Amino acid sequence: MASIKLNNICKHFDQVEVLKSVNIDIQHGEFVVLVGPSGCGKSTLLRSIAGLEQITSGDIYIGDTRVNELAPKDRDISMVFQSYALYPHMSVERNMGFSLEVQKVPKAQIKKAVKEVAESLGLTELLDRKPKALSGGQRQRVAMGRAIVRDPKVFLFDEPLSNLDAQLRVHMRLEIKALHQRLQSTIIYVTHDQVEAMTLADRIVVLNGGIVQQVGPPLEIYDTPTNLFVAGFMGSPSMNFIKTTVAEAGGEFYLETQTGVKLALLHQYQDLAVGMRICCGIRPEHILILNSTSGHLQARVKAVEPTGISEQIYCSFEGADLCIYSMQRTDCKENQSVSLQLDLQRLHLFCADSGQRLQQWPSIAENVSLGQASASS
Amino acid sequence: MSIIVFTNFLKSVAHRFAILLYLVFALFPLYWLLKIAVTPDKLLYSEGVKLWPSEFTWVNFELVFTQSEFPTFFMNSAIVSSATALLTTLIAAAAGYAFCRFKFRGKLIITGLLLVTQMFPLVMVLAPIYKIMAPLGLTNSLLGLVIIYTAFNVPFAVFLMQSFFDGIPRDLEESAMVEGCSRFQALYKVIIPLTLPGMAATLGFVFTAAWSEMLFALMLISDSSVSTFPVGLLNFVSKFAVQWGQMMAAGVLALIPACIFFVFIQRYLVQGLTAGAVKG
């Protein structure tokens, strides 16, 4: 086990800057998930930590050792690849014991170590098979086993579940979580699936365009996204955004939509000015469909997606799409006009120009986060 | 239902018939080679065109072994072809790996130059090559032939090997490197074993190319003690007659090593030739 410190990591591929001054401190035993859209630099960052990519500038520390110049083999890490990268010409047993074989560990010792790990992952029956005779889930488990046998300081996972079907993915997610709890090892895990990120991570690092957007525990990122990108990226279905402007009446600020719908009093926010353009975000589960017309907004239903356990209703409001997540079956029909009630305590306000979250007055922000914590509990 | 079964049966018969037709067409010259080799000289012209001679003899083979220099030619060919195949495959494997995995200055230019070497008819370069080889003492020498054959086979072999390396995911060697291997260890522990079919295919191609090469051998070799068998076959053509029987017998014998070689590598060859084409 070891901590990892990334100081001002920059990486260029020719003229393209893929990582821009990335700073992250990872404690030992921590499960950190790097999440972001395709091409955001998350895999490059992971590969840089592994030593498979040379960084352009910055420092990488594993434990107390600066590893910038160390070859991958000397960094004492294990990596599980998206493709599993099992050696097709070797049996499962040799695949799992490969790292020890390279280190010239005595054969009996390798056999013992492989057997122990195989037992813990339910692979004992498969040890003589070649990778091509395994299913996707079994290959995934062998790849994990191969990483565990080595007992490294740090585990790196590069989108390890993306080749599995949905059901197996959930199952393997639980196995990885259990593995972390059992080994208490430092894990850096790359994924573009934010459900994986939310369920596995102690802390999430959200990346976009090679820049760290936010670092924090999953619920903190979900509840208080720091900018428009994080707000839109984290959460499925993703957050709705309504374009509004700050207006004033009787000394109080409020939000006004493009068609003049008044939304909320804004006494809890700092640095407001009349005419300021605000992007008002609200999560789909924080919108209610009312039977009456007394809601905040009137919208038209575009589509209804029943999933059995819930319904997602897509509505059109002022030319934008709003998604409503309802645990109740609503009987909404396409083209029906509906009245929507927003949970005004759960609005996320972002400056439309900078994309940054509006700062609340400290005492109010504290109350809101307490309210959200009690609501979520 | 029965119509479908009948149609499938007809398709399968037509399919096999087409293959048979091609095989007859492709193998007929080899059959003719064998037929003439076992036909006694006296019947060669007297019997007309018959599919099998009325008399059968091994005498041409005996003569080839005992009264010609064929064993020497044969040995020379074996040495030159094996050495060329090994050397070319080694160079091509190293170059193919570099082209596939590394970024380096001038890569595109070198690739272009390799392609250019394949564009010229060999006849054009015969004279300059003789001019280069003669002062170096590499005419009338098996080493000279090996060098020339290697030089001319390397470009194609490099592209062939590169396509095999391209087919092996980078993840595999990166995984090996993370697990404690240096790049070289990752290469020989993980990548080389997976490239063996490709290497076998390359070996096969180069071996057969060198085995049947005549143009350079004819130009660079004048001493029969270092002749390869394609040049040696011309010894059966004299001023006054052509010893067809012996020439054909020598041809049949020359086919044997190539056949044996292909029997050994055919498993890898098929695997190797299809490896790059189908994503497995």
Side-chain angles (χ1 to χ4, degrees), chain A residues 228-303:
Chain A
L228 272 173
F229 173 78
V230 179
F233 187 76
M234 296 302 290
S236 177
S238 59
M239 190 183 277
N240 300 299
F241 296 106
I242 303 168
K243 287 179 185 167
T244 61
T245 323
V246 177
E248 190 188 7
E252 293 267 25
F253 290 118
Y254 62 89
L255 292 176
E256 197 172 58
T257 69
Q258 287 166 320
T259 53
V261 178
K262 292 176 183 173
L263 264 186
L265 294 173
L266 295 168
H267 56 273
Q268 70 266 43
Y269 289 96
Q270 305 177 22
D271 305 327
L272 291 177
V274 173
M276 188 176 171
R277 294 190 308 123
I278 301 285
C279 200
C280 174
I282 179 133
R283 295 227 176 258
E285 64 271 27
H286 297 148
I287 306 178
L288 266 179
I289 297 179
L290 299 181
N291 291 325
S292 62
T293 53
S294 59
H296 296 106
L297 313 173
Q298 304 299 315
R300 186 164 294 279
V301 175
K302 282 176 77 179

Side-chain angles (χ1 to χ4, degrees), chain A residues 92-369:
Chain A
V92 167
E93 186 172 5
R94 266 199 78 200
N95 260 289
M96 288 176 69
F98 183 74
S99 56
L100 301 182
E101 189 184 311
V102 175
Q103 290 168 37
K104 299 200 164 49
V105 172
K107 276 190 178 161
Q109 215 170 314
I110 298 178
K111 214 174 172 65
K112 189 167 164 263
V114 169
K115 201 177 155 217
E116 274 174 22
V117 175
E119 270 170 18
S120 72
L121 291 171
L123 293 170
T124 314
E125 304 295 313
L126 310 175
L127 285 178
D128 295 329
R129 289 203 200 163
K130 290 273 174 69
K132 68 178 176 192
L134 302 177
S135 68
Q138 288 167 335
R139 285 180 200 184
Q140 170 63 51
R141 226 175 280 143
V142 173
M144 270 165 47
R146 189 170 67 179
I148 297 168
V149 165
R150 189 166 176 210
D151 191 21
K153 281 186 187 162
V154 180
F155 286 93
L156 306 177
F157 287 83
D158 189 3
E159 307 204 26
L161 305 185
S162 53
N163 286 352
L164 303 180
D165 63 55
Q167 216 173 356
L168 199 55
R169 202 180 299 174
V170 174
H171 178 72
M172 291 308 295
R173 210 162 66 201
L174 290 171
E175 283 203 13
I176 292 174
K177 186 107 179 158
L179 174 82
H180 178 239
Q181 277 161 2
R182 199 172 72 235
L183 301 176
Q184 291 296 311
S185 41
T186 311
I187 294 180
I188 306 179
Y189 187 105
V190 162
T191 181
H192 60 263
D193 179 345
Q194 26 87 19
V195 178
E196 258 172 49
M198 293 292 291
T199 49
L200 286 171
D202 292 330
R203 274 197 305 157
I204 292 176
V205 177
V206 186
L207 280 162
N208 188 34
I211 299 170
V212 175
Q213 304 289 322
Q214 190 171 0
V215 183
L219 289 180
E220 182 187 303
I221 286 189
Y222 190 79
D223 289 338
T224 52
T226 187
N227 59 31
L228 272 173
F229 173 78
V230 179
F233 187 76
M234 296 302 290
S236 177
S238 59
M239 190 183 277
N240 300 299
F241 296 106
I242 303 168
K243 287 179 185 167
T244 61
T245 323
V246 177
E248 190 188 7
E252 293 267 25
F253 290 118
Y254 62 89
L255 292 176
E256 197 172 58
T257 69
Q258 287 166 320
T259 53
V261 178
K262 292 176 183 173
L263 264 186
L265 294 173
L266 295 168
H267 56 273
Q268 70 266 43
Y269 289 96
Q270 305 177 22
D271 305 327
L272 291 177
V274 173
M276 188 176 171
R277 294 190 308 123
I278 301 285
C279 200
C280 174
I282 179 133
R283 295 227 176 258
E285 64 271 27
H286 297 148
I287 306 178
L288 266 179
I289 297 179
L290 299 181
N291 291 325
S292 62
T293 53
S294 59
H296 296 106
L297 313 173
Q298 304 299 315
R300 186 164 294 279
V301 175
K302 282 176 77 179
V304 180
E305 286 184 344
T307 60
I309 193 170
S310 64
E311 262 182 17
Q312 289 172 32
I313 302 110
Y314 293 90
C315 298
S316 173
F317 173 73
E318 292 184 356
D321 285 345
L322 291 183
C323 175
I324 298 129
Y325 182 88
S326 170
M327 292 299 284
Q328 312 294 326
R329 295 186 182 176
T330 56
D331 292 330
C332 284
K333 301 277 179 295
E334 279 178 33
N335 289 324
Q336 182 185 339
S337 180
V338 287
S339 182
L340 304 178
Q341 171 93 32
L342 312 184
D343 183 347
L344 297 179
Q345 291 298 314
R346 310 287 184 92
L347 288 186
H348 302 265
L349 302 190
F350 302 93
C351 173
D353 297 324
S354 67
Q356 294 301 310
R357 186 183 187 83
L358 289 194
Q359 294 300 309
Q360 294 186 1
W361 297 107
S363 60
I364 296 168
E366 220 166 80
N367 286 339
V368 170
S369 64

Side-chain angles (χ1 to χ4, degrees), chain B residues 139-264:
Chain B
T139 50
N140 275 330
S141 129
L142 294 183
L143 179 66
L145 280 186
V146 171
I147 290 172
I148 286 295
Y149 290 171
T150 303
F152 277 88
N153 279 303
V154 155
F156 177 72
V158 167
F159 292 127
L160 195 63
M161 282 310 300
Q162 187 189 347
S163 72
F164 292 121
F165 284 116
D166 283 340
I168 296 173
R170 268 167 204 262
D171 281 0
L172 288 183
E173 64 196 298
E174 288 183 344
S175 171
M177 281 158 68
V178 169
E179 295 210 8
C181 291
S182 61
R183 181 175 277 278
F184 189 68
Q185 276 177 315
L187 181 67
Y188 81 77
K189 277 181 186 286
V190 176
I191 305 302
I192 299 279
L194 295 175
T195 329
L196 281 180
M199 291 199 180
T202 312
L203 267 176
F205 275 121
V206 178
F207 184 89
T208 38
W211 186 259
S212 53
E213 204 286 332
M214 190 166 155
L215 197 58
F216 282 115
L218 200 60
M219 184 196 63
L220 292 174
I221 307 287
S222 52
D223 181 354
S224 67
S225 69
V226 285
S227 275
T228 53
F229 101 87
V231 178
L233 282 184
L234 294 180
N235 285 3
F236 296 108
V237 182
S238 63
K239 244 182 200 173
F240 307 106
V242 179
Q243 292 160 311
W244 288 111
Q246 286 181 46
M247 191 194 254
M248 296 300 145
V252 170
L253 290 171
L255 277 176
I256 292 170
C259 288
I260 292 173
F261 193 76
F262 269 89
V263 166
F264 277 119

